[in-house]
C-alpha cells in the first residue's frame, strides 16, 4: 500500500458530496445497512461499478421499475457477489489491454451476512485467491433479515431468530458467530478491516483504503437491523456505538497480515475501564430479551466470556505487530 | 409499451430498472416527523450523515440544513443522534 495517502475530510465535505445511493429506496425505517451503503458510496474516488448479491439492500434498492443506484449496478444470484466482481474486473482488464479504456474503474461487491458468511463464501474465497482487484463490502446485520429473520453464520450466540426461536428447548442460537475477518486474513489479503457507520470518519477512510489497494480488499461493516433485532428504529446508530464500546464488534485493520486497532477500539485498549459489559449492548434488543430471564444467565455469561476472549486474542495480535 | 412491439435487438440485454427511485416518495410511511429547533442547531452534520434515507440535506449555497419530508420514514435516528438535541419527533398536525 505504498500509494495510499491519508484522506482528510470534514463532515461538511462529506455532506456536500452527492448521494450515489439515492433516496426513495424501500428499506425499513431506521435501516442500518441503508445508512452504511449511503456513506460507503460517498467514499468513492471516481468511476465505480457496484455489484450486489441478493439481500435486503439489493431488494429494497431495485424494485422494478425503480433503482436507487446512481452508479452502474449489477445483480445476479445470492452466491455470486464476488464472482460478479471478478468478472467485471476481468472485463475491465481486457478493455484496458485493447486500449478501449484508459481510466481506472473501481469495483465494489456488496453482500449481506448470508451472502458472505454462508452462501457466498466459496465465490469470495475463489475471487480473492485469483487476486481480482475489487473491494468486498459485507454489511453484517446478523441474519437473513430479507427472507424472514433466519439464523446465519453471522448471527451471534443467544439471538432469537425464526429458525432458532428462544423458548424452553433452546435459548436462541447455540453457536457463536463465525470469525469471517480472520478467515479473510488467512487468505493473505492485502487489506481487511472492520468498520461501523457510527464511526463514519474511520469507515470512509477504510473504504478509500480498500479501493486504493491493487487486489482484493475486504470490509466488514456492522449495521443493525431494527426489524430483525426487534429494536427501536431510532437506536440503530446507537447500537453500533455500543457494540464497539462493549468490544462485541472491535474496529481494526489488517494490512498484509499486520493487525492494528482503529482509534475507537484503541482508546478502549488503553483505558480498559471504558470497556462496557455486553449487557449494555444486549438490553433493549428484543432478540436477546429472553437472556435477561434468570434461568438463561449462563448464556449471558458465555457471551461475555467469549467476547472477552476474542478481545484478548485481538489485543495480542495487535500488540505483536505494534 | 410491451416487449412485443420491439425486436430482440432493441430490448435491453438484461433486466434494466429504468427509473430513478427519487421518483418514489417514501414519506407517506411515517408516523412521527422530525422538527428542528433552529436555535439549538449547530449544523454539525450528524443528522445528514446518519440519515438512512438521505432526506436531510446540507445546502452549502444557503448555509443551512434542509429536511425533505417527502422521503422521511420517521425512524427518529436524527433525533436520537443529534448532539445538541435540536431535533424532536412530533406527530404531524391532522388535516381536517
Amino acid at each position: 500500500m505504498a500509494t495510499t495517502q491519508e484522506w482528510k475530510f470534514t463532515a461538511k465535505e462529506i455532506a456536500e458530496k452527492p448521494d450515489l445511493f439515492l433516496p426513495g429506496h424501500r428499506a425499513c425505517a431506521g435501516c442500518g445497512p441503508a445508512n452504511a451503503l449511503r456513506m460507503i458510496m460517498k467514499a468513492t474516488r471516481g468511476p465505480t461499478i457496484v455489484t450486489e448479491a441478493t439481500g435486503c439492500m439489493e431488494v429494497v434498492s431495485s424494485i422494478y421499475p425503480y433503482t436507487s443506484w446512481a452508479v452502474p449496478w449489477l445483480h445476479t444470484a445470492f452466491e455470486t457477489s464476488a464472482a460478479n466482481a471478478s468478472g467485471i474486473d476481468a472485463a475491465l482488464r481486457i478493455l484496458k489491454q485493447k486500449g478501449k479504456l484508459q481510466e481506472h474503474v473501481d469495483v465494489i461487491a456488496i453482500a449481506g451476512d448470508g451472502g458472505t458468511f454462508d452462501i457466498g463464501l466459496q465465490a469470495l474465497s475463489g475471487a480473492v485467491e485469483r487476486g481480482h482487484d475489487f473491494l468486498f463490502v459485507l454489511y453484517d446485520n446478523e441474519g437473513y433479515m430479507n427472507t424472514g429473520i433466519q439464523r446465519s453464520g453471522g448471527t451471534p450466540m443467544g439471538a432469537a431468530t425464526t429458525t432458532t426461536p428462544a423458548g424452553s428447548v433452546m435459548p436462541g442460537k447455540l453457536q457463536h458467530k463465525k470469525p469471517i475477518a480472520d478467515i479473510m486474513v488467512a487468505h493473505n489479503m492485502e487489506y481487511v478491516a472492520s468498520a461501523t457507520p457510527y464511526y463514519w470518519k474511520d469507515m470512509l477512510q477504510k473504504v478509500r483504503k480498500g479501493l486504493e489497494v491493487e487486489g482484493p480488499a475486504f470490509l466488514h461493516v456492522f449495521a443493525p437491523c431494527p426489524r430483525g433485532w426487534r429494536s427501536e428504529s431510532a437506536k440503530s446508530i446507537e447500537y453500533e456505538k455500543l457494540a464497539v464500546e462493549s468490544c462485541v464488534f472491535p474496529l481494526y485493520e489488517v494490512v498484509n497480515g499486520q493487525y492494528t486497532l482503529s482509534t475507537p477500539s484503541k482508546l478502549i485498549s488503553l483505558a480498559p475501564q471504558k470497556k462496557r459489559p455486553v449487557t449494555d449492548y444486549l438490553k433493549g434488543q428484543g432478540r436477546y430479551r429472553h437472556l435477561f430471564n434468570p434461568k438463561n444467565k449462563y448464556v449471558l455469561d458465555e457471551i461475555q466470556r467469549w467476547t472477552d476472549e476474542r478481545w484478548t486474542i485481538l489485543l495480542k495480535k495487535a500488540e505483536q505487530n505494534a | 409499451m410491451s416487449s412485443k412491439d420491439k425486436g430482440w435487438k432493441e430490448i435491453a440485454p438484461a433486466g434494466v430498472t429504468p427509473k430513478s427511485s427519487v421518483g418514489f416518495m417514501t414519506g407517506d410511511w411515517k408516523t412521527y416527523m422530525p422538527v428542528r429547533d433552529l436555535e439549538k442547531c449547530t449544523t454539525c452534520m450528524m443528522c445528514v450523515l446518519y440519515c438512512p434515507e438521505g432526506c436531510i440535506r446540507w445546502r452549502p449555497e444557503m448555509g443551512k440544513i434542509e429536511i425533505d419530508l417527502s422521503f422521511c420514514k420517521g425512524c427518529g435516528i436524527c433525533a436520537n443522534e443529534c448532539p445538541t438535541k435540536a431535533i424532536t419527533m412530533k406527530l404531524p398536525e391532522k388535516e381536517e
Side-chain angles (χ1 to χ4, degrees):
Chain A
M1 292 231 301
T3 54
T4 301
Q5 307 238 319
E6 200 72 10
W7 179 38
K8 293 248 163 51
F9 52 86
T10 60
K12 274 204 174 97
E13 281 163 12
I14 294 302
E16 276 170 29
K17 281 193 112 183
D19 271 336
L20 296 177
F21 187 66
L22 299 169
H25 58 77
R26 254 62 79 73
C28 311
C31 178
N35 175 41
L37 290 197
R38 213 186 119 238
M39 296 285 285
I40 285 167
M41 293 312 290
K42 293 218 178 204
T44 52
R45 54 174 177 170
T48 309
I49 298 178
V50 175
T51 173
E52 211 171 354
T54 304
C56 305
M57 285 304 105
E58 179 268 325
V59 171
V60 299
S61 67
S62 63
I63 295 175
Y64 193 81
Y66 299 102
T67 177
S68 296
W69 292 93
V71 289
W73 179 87
L74 176 71
H75 158 70
T76 53
F78 212 147
E79 67 281 9
T80 55
S81 188
N84 273 355
S86 38
I88 295 169
D89 180 50
L92 291 172
R93 213 178 289 175
I94 287 294
L95 285 176
K96 268 185 195 166
Q97 267 181 23
K98 289 186 176 175
K100 289 182 179 171
L101 181 77
Q102 269 78 41
E103 57 191 336
H104 181 77
V105 180
D106 288 318
V107 182
I108 304 181
I110 300 171
D113 55 307
T116 310
F117 283 81
D118 305 338
I119 303 171
L121 188 59
Q122 56 82 18
L124 174 59
S125 179
V128 170
E129 184 257 308
R130 292 190 297 273
H132 286 287
D133 181 11
F134 69 105
L135 167 69
F136 192 96
V137 174
L138 151 66
Y139 68 88
D140 185 6
N141 54 16
E142 307 195 320
Y144 289 90
M145 303 314 185
N146 176 39
T147 47
I149 317 163
Q150 290 93 354
R151 92 190 277 275
S152 80
T155 309
M157 189 193 186
T161 63
T162 51
T163 44
T164 57
S168 54
V169 178
M170 61 175 170
K173 192 190 168 191
L174 298 171
Q175 301 83 10
H176 284 297
K177 193 178 173 115
K178 196 190 271 187
I180 189 77
D182 293 344
I183 295 173
M184 295 325 292
V185 171
H187 283 73
N188 290 331
M189 285 173 84
E190 200 174 332
Y191 191 77
V192 176
S194 68
T196 191
Y198 178 79
Y199 299 99
W200 53 274
K201 214 162 198 171
D202 176 71
M203 185 176 79
L204 291 179
Q205 264 164 358
K206 282 171 176 169
V207 174
R208 182 56 74 87
K209 277 184 195 170
L211 290 173
E212 279 171 4
V213 167
E214 281 175 23
F218 182 83
L219 187 69
H220 185 177
V221 177
F222 183 80
C225 168
R227 180 74 196 88
W229 293 18
R230 321 277 186 207
S231 60
E232 270 181 64
S233 62
K235 300 263 168 126
S236 297
I237 305 288
E238 203 175 309
Y239 284 125
E240 289 165 2
K241 178 176 167 243
L242 289 171
V244 173
E245 285 182 349
S246 60
C247 297
V248 171
F249 188 80
L251 299 180
Y252 56 93
E253 278 179 306
V254 191
V255 182
N256 291 323
Q258 306 277 311
Y259 281 74
T260 5
L261 290 177
S262 305
T263 319
S265 284
K266 197 163 198 171
L267 289 176
I268 295 169
S269 78
L270 294 174
Q273 74 277 6
K274 276 191 186 165
K275 184 169 174 286
R276 290 187 174 212
V278 286
T279 43
D280 279 13
Y281 161 71
L282 301 180
K283 74 182 172 205
Q285 292 183 39
R287 60 174 181 163
Y288 293 120
R289 192 179 52 199
H290 54 283
L291 298 183
F292 293 89
N293 186 330
K295 75 171 178 154
N296 284 331
K297 173 118 192 347
Y298 73 98
V299 186
L300 276 182
D301 294 341
E302 170 60 19
I303 295 172
Q304 182 70 62
R305 186 200 66 78
W306 190 76
T307 309
D308 291 345
E309 191 186 286
R310 300 284 313 164
W311 175 241
T312 328
I313 292 172
L314 179 65
L315 282 183
K316 266 186 200 152
K317 282 179 184 167
E319 267 167 29
Q320 276 171 4
N321 297 309
Chain B
M1 188 192 285
S2 77
S3 59
K4 280 178 186 170
D5 303 334
K6 290 181 177 178
W8 65 273
K9 280 183 181 170
E10 295 160 68
I11 299 171
V16 174
T17 45
K19 281 184 187 168
S20 160
S21 69
V22 175
F24 190 86
M25 302 296 168
T26 48
D28 51 356
W29 294 19
K30 66 176 169 291
T31 309
Y32 290 89
M33 58 183 253
V35 177
R36 208 156 51 97
D37 185 344
L38 289 170
E39 282 179 10
K40 283 186 188 169
C41 179
T42 57
T43 61
C44 70
M45 301 292 147
M46 287 305 115
C47 53
V48 182
L49 296 180
Y50 290 143
C51 177
E53 307 312 313
C55 64
I56 309 181
R57 297 194 192 111
W58 165 241
R59 295 260 175 257
E61 65 277 7
M62 290 187 278
K64 65 175 185 183
I65 289 171
E66 215 176 56
I67 301 180
D68 186 352
L69 289 176
S70 53
F71 293 109
C72 175
K73 291 169 188 164
C75 65
I77 285 181
C78 49
N80 198 47
E81 296 304 323
C82 182
T84 55
K85 300 281 162 231
I87 301 177
T88 40
M89 299 306 283
K90 284 183 183 153
L91 278 173
E93 283 166 26
K94 273 182 191 157
E95 288 170 31
E96 294 290 322

